[in-house]
Amino acid sequence: MIYPIVKFGNPVLEKPAEKVTVFDDELKKLIDDMFESMYEARGVGLAAPQIGISRRIAVVDVTFKEDPQAKLVLINPEIIRTEGRHTQSEGCLSIPEFRENVTRPKIVVIRAQDVTGTVFEKTAEELLARAFQHETDHLNGKLYISHISALKRDLMKRKIRKLMKAGEW
């Protein structure tokens, strides 16, 4: 099932998501649906709040289907270590058509659970590190725009409010 992507302005995007405690077939189905929804939206990462579900689940595939081994499921993820700094243009499926340069750690180590509940750690660099941080932010009720200047964030919000008033958001 393909879920519609929740856009900026929906309160589910700005509150911390609930921890996952049950690892069952329903969770597996949701994760399959999340990958399908992410690919349909042409994204490389998707957090459950972005489809209106307040649970600590994210899916990531920075190869966008090119490498099936690159598909990652992050349940209850935490970033446990970071290193360096890297600035790159970043966007979000929940804030379509807007991009800004965001500075984040270049290397991250994440601890999460997989679809069976098994805990794992993974070190990531560059785009994968950025995706881990971006999706973990979503699960904590933060959007990438919290990492840009207040002025740029305010201008973006004004443009979005205009789009909302015009019924284009």
Side-chain angles (χ1 to χ4, degrees), residues 2-44:
I2 294 173
Y3 286 87
I5 305 297
V6 171
K7 290 186 180 174
F8 176 78
N10 187 311
V12 73
L13 294 173
E14 297 187 56
K15 68 176 190 176
E18 295 171 23
K19 185 174 181 169
V20 174
T21 56
V22 177
F23 296 81
D24 58 8
D25 288 341
E26 184 182 315
L27 178 66
K28 288 179 182 137
K29 169 75 170 111
L30 175 60
I31 288 165
D32 288 343
D33 290 347
M34 285 178 67
F35 273 110
E36 204 177 327
S37 301
M38 177 185 76
Y39 292 136
E40 179 69 18
R42 315 241 9 104
V44 295

Side-chain angles (χ1 to χ4, degrees), residues 76-158:
N76 302 320
E78 309 170 62
I79 293 170
I80 56 173
R81 199 172 74 245
T82 65
E83 199 178 300
R85 306 297 290 156
H86 184 247
T87 301
Q88 185 175 335
S89 178
E90 195 167 321
C92 179
L93 295 175
S94 293
I95 311 175
E97 298 175 35
F98 288 88
R99 295 190 73 79
E100 287 293 334
N101 282 334
V102 177
T103 301
R104 293 185 183 269
K106 185 175 184 170
I107 300 169
V108 300
V109 178
I110 197 162
R111 180 180 298 134
Q113 291 170 280
D114 66 15
V115 70
T116 67
T118 303
V119 175
F120 68 93
E121 287 185 12
K122 184 158 180 69
T123 301
E125 293 185 48
E126 308 277 335
L127 182 58
L128 185 58
R130 184 167 295 276
F132 282 179
Q133 293 170 84
H134 182 105
E135 301 313 327
T136 302
D137 274 356
H138 273 301
L139 302 178
N140 293 330
K142 286 177 70 176
L143 295 164
Y144 83 92
I145 60 173
S146 67
H147 297 284
I148 63 175
S149 74
L151 177 63
K152 284 183 178 179
R153 189 170 46 250
D154 187 49
L155 288 170
M156 188 182 291
K157 286 180 177 181
R158 279 193 222 167

